[in-house]
Amino acid sequence: MKSFSVKSILAAAAVGISLLSAPAASVADDNPSAVIEQIRSSGVLKVPVMTGEEPGYIKDPATGQWSGFYYEFLGEIATQLGVKLEPVETTWGNLAADFQSNKIDIAIGVNPNPKRGLVVDYLWEPLFTDAWAVLTPPGKPVKTWAELNAPEKTVVVQKGSTMQVVAEALLPKAKITPVEDRGLALMELQSGRADGVVFSVFDALQITEKNIGEVSLPEPILRNPATLAVARKPGNAGYINFLTNWIQQERSLGLAQGKLARAWEARGIDLSILPEGFSF
C-alpha cells in the first residue's frame, strides 16, 4: 500500500479547497447588477448637459433648470431606476474623461468612437439616426463633400467630437479648425472665416431659424447613429441590459420618434431637407 506524508496530504487539501473556492470568489466579484446598485444607492443618475446644444439640452437662464429632448430621455431612465437626475455641465469632447473620473453615469446621443471605445461601452442599438450635414454661408450650399475638399476651404468642427473625425476623413485637403463649442463655431461662420461647419442635420436645421447659414446634406449621405454609452467597469452588464431593453421599447413602440418629432416641431424645424424615406 502506497503511503502519504502529512505534508503531501495538507498540500493536496489546500489545492482542493482553492479549486472549490475559486468559482465562488469569481461569482462574488462579478455582480452584473453592481453598477445599477451603486446608482440606486447614490440616489442620483449623473448625466452630461451642454450649453448651446438646443434642442437636445436647453438651459433656462433665469432658473438654471435643464430641459430638452436628451434631458427628457435621461429623466425617463432615472425614473425607471428610481433616482433623480444630477446634471453635469461638460462638452462632447470631454465625455471619455468624465466617464473615467466617474463624473457621469451615462451619455446619450453619442457616436461610436474607437478611441473612446477603449474606456467606454457603447450600446449597439441607436436611440435614433440622423445624418451629417454642413452649415454654409447663405446662398452657398454644397451638393457633395468634395466641394469643400480644397486647400482654400476652411471647415469648422467642435473639438474632440465625431464631427472632427468626419471632417478630417472626408476633407483632408481643407483647413480644419477645431473650436470648443457650437457657439464659437457659429461665430467663425458669421465672421466669414469659415466655408462650412459640420453638424448633425437635426442640429443644423434648428440653427437655421437664427438666419445664420444654409443647411446642406452633402453626398454621399453619412448616417449618424445616436447611441447611449456607459463607463466600462466591472458589474455594468445588468446596466447595459436594462438600457438596451429601454431603447428597444422606445424604438419599437414609436416613443422615441414621437418625442423627437414633437421637439423639432416645437422649435419650427423643417425636415423637408431629408431625403424621401429617411427614417430616424
Side-chain angles (χ1 to χ4, degrees):
M1 182 176 178
K2 189 174 181 180
S3 62
F4 296 91
S5 68
V6 173
K7 188 175 182 180
S8 64
I9 292 173
L10 291 175
V15 170
I17 291 172
S18 66
L19 290 173
L20 290 172
S21 61
S26 176
V27 171
D29 291 340
D30 188 22
N31 174 10
S33 298
V35 171
I36 288 181
E37 291 171 359
Q38 180 182 11
I39 292 171
R40 283 177 163 167
S41 65
S42 72
V44 296
L45 181 70
K46 296 174 289 186
V47 302
V49 292
M50 305 174 199
T51 57
E53 292 291 331
E54 301 85 356
Y57 297 105
I58 303 171
K59 186 176 184 179
D60 187 327
T63 65
Q65 295 296 310
W66 288 91
S67 61
F69 65 81
Y70 280 143
Y71 201 70
E72 182 180 345
F73 280 129
L74 291 167
E76 291 183 8
I77 294 171
T79 298
Q80 293 277 351
L81 292 172
V83 297
K84 296 180 179 180
L85 285 182
E86 182 177 297
V88 178
E89 289 200 39
T90 186
T91 64
W92 294 113
N94 284 336
L95 290 180
D98 292 337
F99 274 124
Q100 288 181 294
S101 59
N102 288 317
K103 288 183 178 180
I104 57 175
D105 298 313
I106 187 174
I108 191 169
V110 293
N111 314 117
N113 178 305
K115 186 175 181 180
R116 282 201 300 253
L118 296 173
V119 296
V120 172
D121 283 329
Y122 291 94
L123 278 69
W124 287 108
E125 178 76 14
L127 183 58
F128 65 94
T129 302
D130 62 6
W132 291 112
V134 178
L135 192 67
T136 60
K140 296 182 179 180
V142 292
K143 292 184 178 180
T144 67
W145 291 99
E147 294 176 51
L148 292 170
N149 190 27
E152 66 273 14
K153 298 293 185 181
T154 298
V155 177
V156 177
V157 295
Q158 288 177 245
K159 186 177 180 180
S161 68
T162 308
M163 305 165 221
Q164 183 172 353
V165 176
V166 169
E168 291 174 347
L170 289 179
L171 311 172
K173 297 178 182 178
K175 178 185 177 182
I176 309 300
T177 303
V179 296
E180 288 296 332
D181 55 43
R182 182 188 294 183
L184 291 174
L186 295 177
M187 286 176 61
E188 291 293 301
L189 187 69
Q190 289 176 292
S191 66
R193 292 191 294 268
D195 298 289
V197 182
V198 179
F199 283 114
S200 71
V201 68
F202 297 132
D203 286 341
L205 287 171
Q206 73 93 22
I207 291 170
T208 58
E209 67 183 17
K210 301 177 183 178
N211 297 317
I212 293 176
E214 188 167 337
V215 179
S216 294
L217 194 60
E219 295 280 354
I221 294 176
L222 300 179
R223 292 273 183 158
N224 173 26
T227 63
L228 270 68
V230 299
R232 179 171 300 142
K233 60 173 67 174
N236 72 353
Y239 187 34
I240 290 174
N241 181 65
F242 156 71
L243 292 172
T244 300
N245 279 274
W246 177 79
I247 291 175
Q248 292 277 6
Q249 183 182 53
E250 288 289 310
R251 289 189 62 83
S252 65
L253 299 182
L255 303 176
Q257 297 90 327
K259 290 186 185 73
L260 293 169
R262 289 193 298 273
W264 293 323
E265 182 180 352
R267 296 186 70 86
I269 296 176
D270 180 8
L271 301 181
S272 62
I273 189 176
L274 297 178
E276 185 176 354
F278 186 94
S279 174
F280 54 81

